[in-house]
Amino acid sequence: MEIKETLDCKGLSCPMPMMKLAKAMKGLNSGDVLEMLGTDPGTKSDMPNWCAKTGNELLESVDLDGGVTRMLIKKA
Amino acid sequence: MSNSSKDNNVLVQLFRTFFGKHWPVWVGGIVLGTLNILLFAIKSPWGASGGINNWGENFFSSIGLFNLTEVVPVNMNLYGMLCLLIVIGSFAGALFSKEFALRIPPKGELIKGLLGGALMAIGATVGIGCTIGSFFSGVPALSGGAIVFTVGLFIGVIIALKYLIWEMEKFPKWSSGKSYTFLAAKPEKSKWQIVLGVIVVISVGIMAYIYSGTNLTMAWFIIIGGLMGLISQRSRFCIVKAFRDPFMSGESHGAVGVMAGLLVSLVGFTAIKMFGIGAGEVGLRAREMTWIFPHFWVKGAVGGLIFGLGMTIAGGCAVGTLWRVGEGQIKLWMSAIGFLLVSPISKLFIVPAFDSILPQSMKFKSFLPDYVGYGGAFLIVILIILVWYVFVKWNEKTGKFSAF
């Protein structure tokens, strides 16, 4: 799977990660995959809600060491 | 013991139900609304800005600034302790769910936290109340001033959100750059956060027990504050989110959660006021007028607007700031510091100046049942919540008012 763009949201808290994500997704084409790295626990519940609303697909959400969560989102 | 046998342990299952993933916001809203009724039954409803102001006054009095006399120490101030326990309760919740970590954002975000906190302090002192006292408690208390404060909040949130979007487009560097994370738990193996969480909960229990001999009300405030912090952290109960998200992503989860809490408190508060439950020596009228502040209408509206600006820039209202402090978000530590430092200063210098130019007709106590009876006031609040609900759900579908 090709990752089109990586969005670094480490250290940021609500609402910055979701705002940056929405902006980044606008620049992608349908089918493109974005990797998002973040440390705000809130993103874990915001992301499924946002994907359900926008039709984008959350492919993967994994907790890494250092409190970082890696999420892969495919644009609808 | 293997992993599968661990999973079969009913206590492990129970623990995972609470701390394995986030709770729906509406669950948090309903439980917080119920605890708010309990606070009112014991003494008076939930508030946050007064407690943070108490922290600030204690700070300035300890360094001998501003000649503050008669400052009640935090450990003797019900709301100062309630706020402190919200931080501690959230700390425990974050530890149990292994979500605690010290998260240091880029510099620009730290500055926004500090400025947002300072604006919230000015809004809370000018408008008498915050998103808790003059909204989450004030609206169910049937206060006309709280409704006007809420309108101000909405306007402040919309303006500040437009600013944040503008800033992200024009100056993306302000919210990017070096960040650091410390003390995060390892996803699978690490147990220290859970052990520390147990120690924190036991300490809160001991603290409440110590107070129970001399100050039973404080003992209950300690327990309820701890629960409120834990529940807020687990459900990510955030009033900025409730107000902001419909205009940002269009989502309504946060808003519906807050509405659920408002409805529960509305029923409980109305009953307490109608029957004068807990009136004691203060009398029925004083009990009815609890959490009705002299801020109708300009005073409340201006305060709400400034508070709305501040909480959106900070990314957390008074309580959202407190529980995120417990979770280790350093941006919100800055917001709490801005809030506690500016609140006493605003009370001393900004509020008297503002009040002196406002005529009495723009800063009076407005108790809705005085005009339309309890039934009418109850219906007005229900109607407002219903209109808000229909709006956020319609907007979620159509995206008419959302930025993204």
Side-chain angles (χ1 to χ4, degrees), chain B residues 61-393:
Chain B
S61 123
S62 72
I63 59 168
L65 255 181
F66 301 132
N67 258 338
L68 291 167
T69 49
E70 292 170 28
V71 176
V72 182
V74 177
N75 67 338
M76 297 303 288
N77 182 294
L78 283 174
Y79 285 91
M81 283 296 275
L82 191 74
C83 286
L84 184 66
L85 265 294
I86 288 173
V87 174
I88 297 173
S90 157
F91 181 48
L95 288 169
F96 284 142
S97 51
K98 292 195 189 177
E99 285 180 344
F100 178 79
L102 293 177
R103 302 169 177 91
I104 305 176
K107 242 185 298 171
E109 289 295 293
L110 292 175
I111 294 167
K112 269 193 275 175
L114 196 68
L115 285 178
L119 281 172
M120 279 196 277
I122 296 170
T125 46
V126 166
I128 319 182
C130 59
T131 38
I132 298 299
S134 281
F135 167 66
F136 197 66
S137 295
V139 171
L142 306 173
S143 158
I147 291 172
V148 178
F149 185 91
T150 307
V151 173
L153 279 177
F154 261 111
I155 298 169
V157 168
I158 293 168
I159 295 172
L161 180 62
K162 284 202 182 302
Y163 162 77
L164 285 182
I165 294 169
W166 174 83
E167 183 208 284
M168 188 177 68
E169 297 288 346
K170 299 280 177 195
F171 302 98
K173 282 197 171 157
W174 289 8
S175 53
S176 53
K178 264 236 149 311
S179 69
Y180 306 88
T181 306
F182 300 108
L183 298 176
K186 287 198 186 334
E188 287 302 324
K189 292 166 205 159
S190 165
K191 288 267 185 287
W192 70 267
Q193 292 215 356
I194 293 170
V195 174
L196 185 57
V198 173
I199 295 171
V200 171
V201 168
I202 292 172
S203 308
V204 170
I206 293 171
M207 203 195 296
Y209 177 73
I210 291 170
Y211 273 98
S212 67
T214 53
N215 188 346
L216 204 53
T217 307
M218 181 65 92
W220 272 96
F221 266 60
I222 287 171
I223 294 167
I224 295 173
L227 284 172
M228 283 179 149
L230 188 138
I231 291 158
S232 300
Q233 197 275 338
R234 293 318 299 141
S235 59
R236 308 203 77 74
F237 182 84
C238 180
I239 288 166
V240 193
K241 198 174 168 58
F243 282 33
R244 179 199 60 212
D245 279 7
F247 298 103
M248 191 177 96
S249 59
E251 279 169 75
S252 66
H253 291 83
V256 173
V258 169
M259 288 176 214
L262 282 177
L263 278 174
V264 171
S265 295
L266 175 66
V267 175
F269 281 22
T270 307
I272 289 176
K273 290 196 169 200
M274 278 181 95
F275 290 99
I277 297 169
E281 286 167 7
V282 299
L284 191 64
R285 182 61 182 166
R287 197 63 175 151
E288 255 187 346
M289 293 301 281
T290 309
W291 255 228
I292 308 299
F293 304 117
H295 59 173
F296 188 86
W297 52 290
V298 173
K299 193 167 158 65
V302 171
L305 187 139
I306 300 171
F307 197 95
L309 291 172
M311 69 176 184
T312 310
I313 291 168
C317 60
V319 65
T321 292
L322 291 173
W323 70 254
R324 284 188 180 88
V325 166
E327 193 179 73
Q329 310 264 15
I330 305 296
K331 178 182 181 184
L332 284 307
W333 287 28
M334 299 303 284
S335 157
I337 290 169
F339 202 135
L340 77 90
L341 289 182
V342 173
S343 182
I345 296 174
S346 172
K347 247 187 168 173
L348 279 171
F349 304 107
I350 299 174
V351 175
F354 184 71
D355 280 356
S356 69
I357 55 166
L358 273 192
Q360 195 52 35
S361 59
M362 293 182 183
K363 50 173 187 197
F364 63 96
K365 289 184 178 184
S366 153
F367 182 47
L368 294 176
D370 287 347
Y371 309 99
V372 289
Y374 269 102
F378 191 87
L379 276 180
I380 287 174
V381 175
I382 294 266
L383 205 66
I384 292 172
I385 296 173
L386 200 65
V387 168
W388 187 18
Y389 180 82
V390 171
F391 169 75
V392 295
K393 284 293 174 187

Side-chain angles (χ1 to χ4, degrees), chain B residues 8-42:
Chain B
N8 290 332
N9 184 326
V10 287
L11 289 179
V12 173
Q13 284 171 2
L14 182 69
F15 184 84
R16 287 207 180 139
T17 307
F18 284 115
F19 302 107
K21 54 181 182 184
H22 295 144
W23 309 358
V25 194
W26 62 267
V27 172
I30 288 174
V31 184
L32 290 168
T34 310
L35 290 173
N36 200 1
I37 298 170
L38 199 56
L39 280 179
F40 193 2
I42 294 168

